[in-house]
Amino acid sequence: MKLLKKIGLMNAAMFTVLILTWIFVYAGAGLPRAYAWFSLKMVIPILGIAYLLLNVTLWVINVIKKKSTKKRRIGFIAAILLSLHLLLLMNIIQLPYPSRIQNAQPSVTVNWPFAGKTVVGWGGDSLNTNLPHITWASERWAYDLVMEPFNTGSHNPEDYGIWNQEILSPASGIVIAAYDEEHDIEPGSESFLSMEGNHVYLKLDETGTYLLLNHLKQNSLTVKIGDHVQTGDLLGRVGNSGSTSEPHLHIHHQRQNPVLTPHPVLAEGLPLYFEGTDTVPMPQKGTVVSPSF
């Protein structure tokens, strides 16, 4: 009680929230850990900034009234610690979502989604090979796939090799989402309407988990909600819709139904492997992949 009185109730509450959130991240599992991780990156920094503003206000009041500012100093420390979690969100501090591949089950092995030679733009189980994805729970083992030429810097989507390429269903399953009404944006622009853009989501027959394919071309889908697709069936074509720097296919595997999750990152990402190619089952960034089927 003496310590609580010395620190202050609000300061103690802030330290407790921060400590418990980190405990959930590293000692928890499943969806609660995904929510805790989301809170560290998205909620805690906002809380910290708000608490910093509150402490500044209270500090000014204490100075004017000539009262002790000792608790305010502790409050500043708490607020700064909370606010520094912005560095996680901005990837200035790079931490992978703490889910180990051997413990994240079920994994799934599917076919390659293209009939031609493809390059893994991002993929794998390390920060160096999968930085945009590995720091989020749902996209822990996601891939971004491109084709030569890519990274051209062109503002014309037709200058990218993967533009308008056919996407083949990697596995059999039920189509639970099929949307292709968003316009394709100019490469390098930020005029997107949603993070995912046009997409197809499958509930896999094998595991009952979900495969998400994003950034498809407007008006290119060949399937609709409720369709049952087989491995190799045509789903649509690659576009440049959603939050994307250039035409590519984003694909990842997760436990929760993406249609029902309140936010795209509030889900458990699961390992995704590929068979029927000339390379390893989990290809990393820079790997050139040719299907053998």
Side-chain angles (χ1 to χ4, degrees):
M1 291 299 294
K2 288 184 178 180
L3 179 61
L4 182 60
K5 186 176 181 180
K6 184 177 180 180
I7 294 175
L9 184 61
M10 282 294 293
N11 294 333
M14 293 298 168
F15 285 121
T16 300
V17 167
L18 183 57
I19 292 169
L20 287 178
T21 305
W22 275 104
I23 289 174
F24 264 103
V25 164
Y26 281 98
L31 201 54
R33 176 163 61 184
Y35 272 78
W37 187 252
F38 176 85
S39 297
L40 278 181
K41 300 184 73 169
M42 302 290 287
V43 179
I44 293 293
I46 295 174
L47 181 61
I49 293 170
Y51 196 51
L52 182 61
L53 293 174
L54 175 62
N55 275 279
V56 169
T57 302
L58 293 175
W59 180 82
V60 171
I61 292 173
N62 287 346
V63 169
I64 292 173
K65 293 184 176 182
K66 298 181 179 180
K67 291 184 177 181
S68 172
T69 59
K70 187 173 183 179
K71 289 182 181 179
R72 298 286 70 79
R73 292 197 293 271
I74 298 174
F76 284 132
I77 292 172
I80 291 170
L81 285 175
L82 294 170
S83 302
L84 282 175
H85 286 72
L86 272 174
L87 301 179
L88 283 176
L89 178 63
M90 299 168 65
N91 279 333
I92 294 173
I93 294 177
Q94 298 174 358
L95 284 179
Y97 176 68
S99 179
R100 295 187 176 183
I101 197 167
Q102 60 268 31
N103 297 329
Q105 295 299 324
S107 62
V108 70
T109 302
V110 301
N111 276 19
W112 197 246
F114 296 107
K117 186 180 294 185
T118 316
V119 180
V120 179
W122 293 101
D125 191 36
S126 72
L127 281 168
N128 289 336
T129 65
N130 209 3
L131 178 59
H133 303 133
I134 203 170
T135 59
W136 294 102
S138 61
E139 300 182 355
R140 180 64 172 77
W141 292 283
Y143 299 83
D144 284 345
L145 306 179
V146 295
M147 290 182 180
E148 293 283 2
F150 60 94
N151 286 341
T152 66
S154 171
H155 296 297
N156 183 357
E158 296 182 0
D159 291 338
Y160 296 82
I162 203 167
W163 170 259
N164 203 38
Q165 292 292 328
E166 292 185 341
I167 302 169
L168 308 178
S169 181
S172 63
I174 300 291
V175 177
I176 63 162
Y179 175 75
D180 67 351
E181 297 180 10
E182 285 191 24
H183 66 274
D184 293 283
I185 66 174
E186 179 182 288
S189 75
E190 295 291 333
S191 58
F192 57 89
L193 299 178
S194 69
M195 297 296 292
E196 303 83 6
N198 301 315
H199 56 266
V200 173
Y201 299 158
L202 302 177
K203 182 177 182 180
L204 300 177
D205 290 341
E206 179 185 352
T207 57
T209 51
Y210 300 89
L211 198 65
L212 287 69
L213 301 96
N214 295 337
H215 311 311
L216 278 59
K217 187 180 180 184
Q218 186 178 32
N219 300 324
S220 73
L221 297 192
T222 58
V223 295
K224 62 184 184 302
I225 295 173
D227 286 352
H228 184 271
V229 297
Q230 301 293 335
T231 302
D233 286 352
L234 179 63
L235 298 179
R237 293 177 179 269
V238 177
N240 197 47
S241 60
S243 179
T244 168
S245 58
E246 66 176 69
H248 72 279
L249 176 67
H250 171 101
I251 180 171
H252 78 262
H253 176 217
Q254 67 182 49
R255 188 183 308 279
Q256 285 75 27
N257 185 334
V259 176
L260 302 179
T261 53
H263 191 281
V265 301
L266 290 174
E268 301 169 74
L270 298 170
L272 178 61
Y273 300 96
F274 294 98
E275 61 184 358
T277 74
D278 61 349
T279 187
V280 296
M282 183 175 280
Q284 298 185 352
K285 176 184 178 181
T287 303
V288 178
V289 181
S290 294
S292 57
F293 55 85

